[in-house]
Amino acid sequence: MTHKAALIVGAGDATGGAIARAFAREGYATCVTRRQADKLAPLVAQIESAGGTAHAFGSDARKEDEVVALVERIEREVGPIEVLVFNIGANVPESILTETARKYYKVWEMACFAGFLNAREVAKRMMARPLPAGGQRGTILFTGATASLRGSARFAAFSGAKAALRALAQSMARELGPEGIHVAHPVIDGGIDTEFIRTQFPERYALKAQDGILNPEHIAAQYVMLHRQPRDAWTHELDLRPWIEKF
C-alpha cells in the first residue's frame, strides 16, 4: 500500500467523476464506486491518462455487507481512506398523489441510508488510526442539494432523504470533529451541467452560456478546498450556487 485513498461513492459522469479527477490530481488513489463497475471504465481511463491512480468497484451502497467488504478491501489493497465523498443523488420527481411506498423508501435508502453505512464504516477506520501530528484524521463530505434545506412540489421523497442526510452530517460533525475528522455538507443549490438537467429542465440548461448552471469541475475544486482546510477554520456547510440563482 503506497497511496492514501479517496473513496467517492456515486462517481457518476458529472459531479462524482469531477470530484474523483480532482482528488487524483492531489495525489490520491481514487476509489470510485457505482452499482455496475463497468460504467466506471471511462472515468478510470481519464484519471490514468492524466497520470493519476484509480480503482473501480461495483458496489450497492445500500447493502451493509457490500459496504463493509468494500471498505475492508480498499484499506487492505489500496491504502488508508483519508477522504470519503458520498455523492449519491436519487433525484426522482413524483407527485405525492402518485408516489409509491416502494419508490419513496428506495430514494431514502439511496440518498440517506447509504450515506450512513459508508460514513460509519470509513469513520471506524479513521478512528482506529493514531491521531496525526496535525490533528486531522480525515475528511467526510456529503453532497447536499436545495432539497436538503426546503421541500418543493413533487420532491417529497428526495427532500425527505436529503434533509435526513443533512442531519446525519451535523450529528457526525459534532461527534467526530473533536476526534480530528472533518465532516462537511456542501449544498449544491442550483442546476448542474448534467444529462439530467439537460433533459428534465431544458430551460435551466439553456442558461449554461451565462454561467447559470454549476460546472462539475468547479464544484470539485471546492471539495478539495474543504479537505485542505486547517482544523481551526473548518467549514461544515458550504452553499454553492450560480450567481443568478435565487435564494
Side-chain angles (χ1 to χ4, degrees):
M1 295 191 302
T2 58
H3 289 92
K4 53 189 179 180
L7 171 57
I8 292 81
V9 178
D13 299 327
T15 306
I19 293 169
R21 291 189 294 270
F23 277 102
R25 289 192 294 270
E26 293 293 306
Y28 286 86
T30 52
C31 300
V32 292
T33 76
R34 294 179 73 163
R35 272 180 287 182
Q36 295 177 311
D38 60 308
K39 291 185 177 181
L40 293 163
L43 175 59
V44 170
Q46 287 177 352
I47 292 172
E48 292 180 342
S49 66
T53 301
H55 304 270
F57 299 92
S59 177
D60 190 333
R62 303 169 298 164
K63 305 298 183 183
E64 184 173 24
D65 56 343
E66 293 189 30
V67 172
V68 171
L70 171 70
V71 172
E72 288 180 348
R73 182 179 176 188
I74 293 172
E75 291 268 333
R76 181 177 66 251
E77 299 179 5
V78 180
I81 299 172
E82 189 173 304
V83 181
L84 166 66
V85 177
F86 180 76
N87 188 61
I88 293 179
N91 190 347
V92 185
E94 183 69 48
S95 167
I96 193 66
L97 302 177
T98 54
E99 184 65 273
T100 65
R102 180 178 179 274
K103 187 154 68 67
Y104 188 99
Y105 184 75
K106 184 178 180 179
V107 169
W108 170 79
E109 275 191 310
M110 294 171 63
C112 180
F113 182 63
F116 153 71
L117 288 177
N118 284 270
R120 182 194 67 186
E121 290 306 306
V122 171
K124 284 181 180 179
R125 296 289 183 161
M126 289 179 176
M127 285 296 297
R129 292 190 275 271
L131 188 66
Q136 300 192 44
R137 284 189 164 98
T139 303
I140 296 174
L141 304 174
F142 296 96
T143 297
T146 307
S148 305
L149 308 179
R150 57 187 180 274
S152 298
R154 302 179 66 244
F155 288 92
F158 186 57
S159 298
K162 296 302 282 188
L165 184 72
R166 184 189 187 210
L168 170 69
Q170 290 174 349
S171 178
M172 288 185 60
R174 286 170 169 82
E175 179 178 353
L176 301 179
E179 302 295 338
I181 299 175
H182 183 189
V183 181
H185 179 252
V187 176
I188 314 303
D189 186 19
I192 306 173
D193 188 357
T194 63
E195 181 65 17
F196 175 78
I197 295 297
R198 189 183 72 81
T199 57
Q200 298 295 318
F201 302 95
E203 73 289 346
R204 178 66 60 88
Y205 194 81
L207 299 173
K208 178 180 177 178
Q210 306 173 44
D211 293 329
I213 58 176
L214 290 122
N215 183 324
E217 302 295 334
H218 298 164
I219 295 172
Q222 301 309 307
Y223 279 60
V224 172
M225 179 276 293
L226 287 169
H227 175 56
R228 287 177 172 175
Q229 285 183 327
R231 63 175 178 170
D232 67 326
W234 274 350
T235 295
H236 172 65
E237 193 155 78
L238 174 70
D239 287 13
L240 299 175
R241 65 175 62 88
W243 64 277
I244 64 173
E245 188 76 25
K246 295 179 181 179
F247 67 99

